[in-house]
Amino acid sequence: MKKQLLAILLLISPALVLANEGGANLDKAQIDPANQESLQRGARTFVNYCMGCHSAKYERYNRLARDLGISETDVIDNLIFTGAKIGDTMKIGMQSKDAKKYFGAAPPDLTLIARRRGADWLYTYLRTFYLDDSRPFGVNNKVFDKVGMPDVLWELQGWQKPVYETVTDVNGNKHQKLVEVKLVRQGTQSPAEFDRTVRDLVNFLTYMAEPVKLQRQALGVKVLLFLFVLFIITYLLKKEYWKDVH
Ligand code: HEC
């Protein structure tokens, strides 16, 4: 029986490993991919604040309508500002070579960004821009040092200042280390409201990076349940067969 138990544990271990991902010093995004209202708010923030520079060229507007539970007319009225048609992908007008000239780095397409960076990184990144006079746009970022992106959400969040700590390395040299960023002037949203705005936005970015994730996970659970039931039946059957032999 121990062996069977081990087999089951091995079967579900990938799920346990995946549940454990995420790095040090990142704030937890705690997104809820099943919450459609959160995804809708995230989509709205995305088209309003991000699509000036970033495209999402592997996502179509009509797919967005279907997955987020909004009508195509609502998408056309509230989410399309680029003159695109409902069947188009979420492209933008800015050319990447022009963007490179303006910002020093081209803003990457964001359809798959959540797969590369993970939700916690994005959640931390979008909330930790801080004032830094040495940078071209006057801001730097806690998890993306010398970032080329301006602090586009500053009106909502307000301004933040860095807090440093002096640390001594193994050679006895002292360094200034950024430990946190502190709000010095609040924007139009309170810190809790702003966290929610960013959580919704990250939820949306995560959805875009893997639109079928919810279905896939639901299917996975069903498959595991099926295997479990099958295991019990097989085990009883085996007992029945071998009953007379012993
Ligand atoms: C004014 C133009 C502009 C706007 C608006 C903008 N970004 Fe950016 N973004 C950039 C640029 C430029 C970079 C590249 C920075 C670099 O590589 O130094 C960037 C980089 C990023 C990255 C890091 C990509 C990587 O390399 O991992 C993320 C994530 C990101 N942006 C998300 C957003 C989100 C979400 C929004 C909307 C809230 C947004 N951006 C709005 C210009 C912009």
Side-chain angles (χ1 to χ4, degrees), residues 94-107 136-137:
M94 194 190 280
Q95 298 293 316
S96 97
K97 63 173 190 319
D98 292 338
K100 210 162 172 191
K101 224 163 36 204
Y102 307 146
F103 305 109
F137 292 105

Coordinates of all heavy atoms in Angstrom, one line a residue, residues 94-107 136-137:
M94 N 2.6 53.0 -32.4 CA 4.0 53.3 -32.2 C 4.9 52.3 -32.8 O 4.8 51.1 -32.6 CB 4.2 53.5 -30.7 CG 5.5 54.2 -30.5 SD 6.0 54.1 -28.7 CE 5.0 55.4 -28.0
Q95 N 5.9 52.8 -33.6 CA 6.9 51.9 -34.2 C 8.0 51.6 -33.2 O 8.4 52.5 -32.4 CB 7.5 52.6 -35.4 CG 6.6 52.9 -36.5 CD 6.0 51.6 -37.1 OE1 6.8 50.7 -37.4 NE2 4.7 51.6 -37.4
S96 N 8.5 50.4 -33.1 CA 9.4 50.1 -32.1 C 10.8 50.9 -32.2 O 11.4 51.2 -31.3 CB 9.6 48.6 -31.9 OG 10.7 48.1 -32.6
K97 N 11.1 51.2 -33.5 CA 12.4 52.0 -33.6 C 12.2 53.4 -33.1 O 13.1 54.0 -32.5 CB 12.9 51.9 -35.1 CG 12.1 52.6 -36.1 CD 12.9 52.6 -37.4 CE 12.2 53.4 -38.6 NZ 10.8 53.3 -38.7
D98 N 11.0 54.0 -33.3 CA 10.8 55.3 -32.7 C 10.8 55.3 -31.2 O 11.4 56.1 -30.6 CB 9.4 55.8 -33.2 CG 9.3 56.1 -34.7 OD1 10.4 56.3 -35.2 OD2 8.2 56.1 -35.3
A99 N 10.1 54.2 -30.7 CA 10.0 54.1 -29.2 C 11.5 54.0 -28.6 O 11.7 54.6 -27.6 CB 9.3 52.8 -28.9
K100 N 12.3 53.3 -29.4 CA 13.7 53.1 -28.9 C 14.4 54.5 -28.8 O 15.1 54.8 -27.9 CB 14.5 52.2 -29.8 CG 15.5 51.5 -29.1 CD 16.0 50.3 -29.8 CE 17.2 49.8 -28.9 NZ 18.0 48.8 -29.5
K101 N 14.1 55.4 -29.8 CA 14.6 56.7 -29.8 C 14.1 57.5 -28.6 O 14.9 58.2 -27.9 CB 14.2 57.4 -31.1 CG 15.4 58.2 -31.7 CD 15.2 58.5 -33.2 CE 13.8 58.9 -33.6 NZ 13.5 58.8 -35.0
Y102 N 12.8 57.4 -28.3 CA 12.2 58.2 -27.2 C 12.7 57.7 -25.8 O 13.0 58.5 -24.9 CB 10.7 58.1 -27.2 CG 10.0 58.5 -28.5 CD1 8.8 57.8 -28.8 CD2 10.5 59.4 -29.3 CE1 8.2 58.1 -30.0 CE2 9.9 59.7 -30.5 CZ 8.7 59.1 -30.9 OH 8.1 59.4 -32.0
F103 N 12.7 56.4 -25.6 CA 12.9 55.8 -24.3 C 14.2 55.1 -24.0 O 14.5 54.7 -23.0 CB 11.8 54.8 -24.0 CG 10.4 55.4 -24.1 CD1 9.6 55.0 -25.2 CD2 9.9 56.4 -23.3 CE1 8.3 55.5 -25.4 CE2 8.7 56.9 -23.4 CZ 7.9 56.5 -24.5
G104 N 15.0 55.0 -25.1 CA 16.3 54.2 -25.0 C 16.1 52.7 -25.0 O 17.1 52.0 -25.2
A105 N 14.9 52.3 -24.9 CA 14.6 50.8 -25.0 C 13.2 50.7 -25.6 O 12.3 51.5 -25.3 CB 14.7 50.1 -23.7
A106 N 13.0 49.7 -26.4 CA 11.6 49.5 -27.0 C 10.7 48.9 -26.0 O 11.1 47.9 -25.4 CB 11.7 48.7 -28.3
P107 N 9.5 49.4 -25.8 CA 8.5 48.7 -24.9 C 8.1 47.4 -25.5 O 7.6 47.4 -26.7 CB 7.3 49.7 -24.9 CG 7.8 50.9 -25.6 CD 8.9 50.6 -26.5
P136 N 16.4 59.7 -16.9 CA 15.9 60.7 -17.9 C 14.4 61.0 -17.6 O 14.0 62.2 -17.8 CB 15.9 59.8 -19.2 CG 16.8 58.7 -18.9 CD 17.0 58.5 -17.5
F137 N 13.6 60.1 -17.0 CA 12.2 60.5 -16.7 C 12.0 60.8 -15.2 O 10.9 60.8 -14.8 CB 11.3 59.3 -17.2 CG 11.2 59.2 -18.7 CD1 11.8 58.1 -19.3 CD2 10.5 60.1 -19.4 CE1 11.8 58.0 -20.7 CE2 10.5 60.0 -20.8 CZ 11.1 58.9 -21.4

